[in-house]
Amino acid sequence: MTTLVWERSLRIDGVQRLQYPGHFTRRANELRLTKDVDKNRWDRSLPRSDRTARYPDALCTDAEGEAIVGLIFGEYAYLKTLRATARMIRTKLALSEEAYTKTDVRDFRHGSANHMAELSNDVAGIACLMRH
């Protein structure tokens, strides 16, 4: 889930509402965000990257290869994982103890936007992806 959130700058609350088959179908090259999932109430499709190509295919199939209908990711305690990761790498990031204990998903989302800006000069494209 974190790869999907990072690469597509999605909001956690929206990702937690993604369902199969409404937002995704197996072997599809895109993830469909509907008005009920997108904060700004836009219908849009997002291409899947090479890194996210296996997700959520693997999450929508049971051991026998049958489709699982319903939430793809569901609820996830992202904050605990995010802060634990920040604690582990805080010396590399030069974070104070106070800073990493206040880390939340907005920091992750903004970091994703900064990363995209370092790779591309397409500010309009990044703003569109971020829904700004």
Side-chain angles (χ1 to χ4, degrees), residues 1-61:
M1 180 169 97
T2 53
T3 301
L4 184 65
V5 171
W6 178 264
E7 288 190 357
R8 297 299 173 242
S9 297
L10 299 175
R11 292 177 172 90
I12 292 289
D13 59 331
V15 171
Q16 291 176 340
R17 292 194 303 263
L18 292 175
Q19 294 191 29
Y20 176 85
H23 300 106
F24 175 78
T25 55
R26 288 189 291 178
R27 296 177 210 50
N29 290 327
E30 63 185 24
L31 186 66
R32 182 94 185 125
L33 297 184
T34 54
K35 291 178 183 181
D36 61 317
V37 170
D38 189 65
K39 177 184 175 187
N40 295 318
R41 303 282 186 228
W42 293 35
D43 275 327
R44 59 187 172 124
S45 294
L46 295 175
R48 293 171 59 198
S49 70
D50 291 340
R51 289 180 62 196
T52 60
R54 63 186 172 155
Y55 300 108
D57 282 337
L59 299 171
C60 297
T61 309

Side-chain angles (χ1 to χ4, degrees), residues 76-87:
Y76 177 70
Y78 75 88
L79 195 54
K80 183 178 178 181
T81 302
L82 185 62
R83 288 188 179 159
T85 302
R87 185 181 310 114

Side-chain angles (χ1 to χ4, degrees), residues 94-112:
L95 290 176
S96 67
E97 187 167 340
E98 181 184 0
Y100 86 78
T101 58
K102 292 182 178 180
T103 301
D104 73 7
V105 76
R106 288 180 301 254
D107 299 313
F108 195 73
R109 194 169 138 75
H110 295 156
S112 172

